[in-house]
Amino acid sequence: MLSLRGAVRTRRIRSVAVRLAVFGGAALVFGFIAFIWLLPSQEIVLDRNADGVVVLTGGTSRVADALELLATGHGKRLLITGVNPGTTTADITRQTVDYGRLLNCCVDLDYSALNTLGNAVQARRWALDHDFKSLIVVTSAYHMPRALAELAHQLPDAALTPYPVVSDRLRIEPWWSNSETTKLVLSEYLKYLFAKVRMRFDTVAEGDGMHRVAAARGS
């Protein structure tokens, strides 16, 4: 049987635990609201240029938008990172028929990145290889916060300009009206939080075991 002092101590511990749980839950909820609030609902008109353009794969529209930025002189060279190993320049050209010349002269493909961290590591290597000090980052609107965080961690001295690609679904309907979209956005928020925590204990990866990005190949 617990003594009076032990019972009081147990009650205090439970009270502190409950308060911490409530505080943590509230922080997660308000953080998620802020995350959603900051997500763009419309694509932007870019009013600045950069040394290079980096697009994280995940949809044809991202690559097309990045090629358009390159074609209009917003960057000197483009890195497409996280390309499927079976994809070639010819495959991309068939989907973006207006940019064949650019793909052959000014585009690099990275086949080794498997996730957002890998994208950032390869973008760092590419930027250092080309002595680029500023990058335009192209990815989905909901993915942009995590992509920028990873890139800023790998390239703390580089100027990063986001160019978010807004999907038709997010443009037409709010995220909470579709269960699949809600799961997607919530999952991305949790991944973003995990990445921010991991980066507090993570040093910038040199990527010694990673393959260097390759010039776009045609076959």
Side-chain angles (χ1 to χ4, degrees):
M1 199 172 168
L2 287 175
S3 65
L4 180 59
R5 181 178 297 177
V8 170
R9 183 181 302 161
T10 300
R11 186 176 300 173
R12 286 178 178 173
I13 292 173
R14 288 177 179 172
S15 177
V16 170
V18 169
R19 290 178 183 178
L20 287 175
V22 171
F23 177 79
L28 283 173
V29 170
F30 283 110
F32 182 60
I33 292 172
F35 181 82
I36 291 297
W37 181 264
L38 294 174
L39 290 183
S41 57
Q42 299 292 330
E43 293 185 3
I44 65 172
V45 177
L46 206 60
D47 59 357
R48 68 187 68 182
N49 299 335
D51 292 331
V53 181
V54 175
V55 57
L56 286 68
T57 56
T60 304
S61 60
R62 299 186 195 180
V63 175
D65 284 355
L67 285 166
E68 175 65 23
L69 291 174
L70 186 65
T72 52
H74 285 290
K76 303 171 188 174
R77 197 165 186 86
L78 168 65
L79 171 66
I80 306 176
T81 173
V83 179
N84 186 294
T87 300
T88 66
T89 304
D91 297 325
I92 299 174
T93 301
R94 281 192 288 271
Q95 298 177 29
T96 55
V97 293
D98 296 329
Y99 302 109
R101 181 185 61 80
L102 282 175
L103 281 161
N104 288 319
C105 79
C106 310
V107 176
D108 299 305
L109 305 183
D110 157 47
Y111 293 95
S112 61
L114 302 177
N115 51 36
T116 306
L117 172 58
N119 294 143
V121 170
Q122 291 305 312
R124 173 179 180 270
R125 296 178 67 104
W126 180 76
L128 293 176
D129 283 347
H130 293 283
D131 196 29
F132 287 165
K133 307 297 183 186
S134 57
L135 300 174
I136 295 170
V137 182
V138 182
T139 190
S140 298
Y142 64 83
H143 185 226
M144 186 62 75
R146 184 158 60 103
L148 286 178
E150 294 284 13
L151 281 163
H153 184 62
Q154 294 292 327
L155 290 162
D157 298 324
L160 303 176
T161 300
Y163 188 84
V165 178
V166 181
S167 68
D168 291 337
R169 178 182 293 177
L170 285 177
R171 201 182 280 116
I172 293 171
E173 59 186 11
W175 62 271
W176 62 83
S177 65
N178 183 289
S179 61
E180 292 301 316
T181 305
T182 301
K183 290 177 184 177
L184 177 65
V185 175
L186 180 58
S187 172
E188 188 57 40
Y189 170 63
L190 295 176
K191 290 177 182 178
Y192 170 75
L193 291 182
F194 176 79
K196 293 292 285 186
V197 171
R198 191 208 76 242
M199 282 184 275
R200 288 183 174 272
F201 306 96
D202 188 22
T203 56
V204 174
E206 291 295 335
D208 292 334
M210 306 289 277
H211 300 291
R212 287 190 177 275
V213 296
R217 64 190 191 194
S219 61

